[in-house]
């Protein structure tokens, strides 16, 4: 992928004191003015994880399933916490949208790194 094309797909937040500021258009135009040889890292690698979990249906049946997760911060020790938060948020959202299919007692059984996605620039 060309660096100019990547800029079109990304949103940017500028680092500021106490947080970040939205700056997508500024950095998109900045990256489009750069020559590709001005970028040092020409590959972005993102680990892909398989998350196996179980849950209880409204009829009290136990089900197992899996989802896949692209880690945002690369390999790190807190991947289990990051996955747990994302899965919990996903189920809360689904339960809110479809209360007639609400599930409970979601438990992560296993988290395995299965692949690395590599995006060449």
């Amino acid at each position: 992928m060309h660096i100019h094309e990547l800029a079109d797909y990304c949103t940017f937040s500028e680092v500021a004191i106490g947080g970040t500021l939205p700056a997508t258009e500024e950095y998109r135009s900045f990256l489009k003015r750069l020559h590709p040889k001005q970028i040092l890292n020409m590959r972005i690698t993102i680990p892909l994880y398989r998350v196996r979990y179980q849950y209880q249906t409204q009829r009290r049946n136990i089900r197992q399933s899996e989802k896949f997760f692209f880690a945002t911060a690369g390999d790190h020790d807190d991947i289990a916490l990051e996955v747990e938060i994302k899965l919990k948020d996903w189920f809360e959202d689904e339960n809110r949208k479809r209360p007639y299919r609400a599930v409970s007692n979601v438990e992560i059984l296993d988290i395995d790194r299965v692949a690395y996605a590599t995006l060449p620039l």
Side-chain angles (χ1 to χ4, degrees), residues 8-111:
D8 289 332
Y9 288 105
C10 292
T11 57
F12 295 92
S13 299
E14 191 168 39
V15 176
I17 296 172
T20 59
L21 301 171
T24 297
E25 292 306 316
E26 294 171 44
Y27 282 93
R28 280 183 180 164
S29 62
F30 171 74
L31 285 175
K32 288 182 180 187
R33 288 191 309 266
L34 287 179
H35 189 278
K37 289 193 177 201
Q38 287 181 282
I39 305 294
L40 292 176
N41 55 334
M42 298 306 290
R43 290 175 174 259
I44 298 172
T45 303
I46 307 165
L48 176 65
Y49 290 87
R50 178 187 305 123
V51 181
R52 293 188 183 110
Y53 61 94
Q54 72 179 18
Y55 59 93
Q56 186 174 2
T57 67
Q58 281 197 339
R59 293 184 178 176
R60 308 275 186 241
N61 295 320
I62 302 296
R63 299 280 188 253
Q64 290 187 3
S65 189
E66 64 184 19
K67 295 202 178 300
F68 291 85
F69 178 75
F70 284 106
T72 55
D75 289 335
H76 54 82
D77 294 334
D78 296 330
I79 191 70
L81 179 61
E82 189 176 353
V83 167
E84 182 180 350
I85 290 168
K86 293 290 185 185
L87 192 65
K88 179 182 175 228
D89 290 347
W90 188 85
F91 273 110
E92 284 177 0
D93 189 44
E94 286 296 308
N95 285 346
R96 194 173 26 261
K97 287 180 186 175
R98 297 173 186 84
Y100 55 91
R101 295 188 63 179
V103 300
S104 59
N105 299 332
V106 177
E107 179 184 340
I108 295 174
L109 302 175
D110 196 24
I111 301 171

Side-chain angles (χ1 to χ4, degrees), residues 107-121:
E107 179 184 340
I108 295 174
L109 302 175
D110 196 24
I111 301 171
D112 293 322
R113 187 180 324 122
V114 294
Y116 288 99
T118 303
L119 179 64
L121 302 176

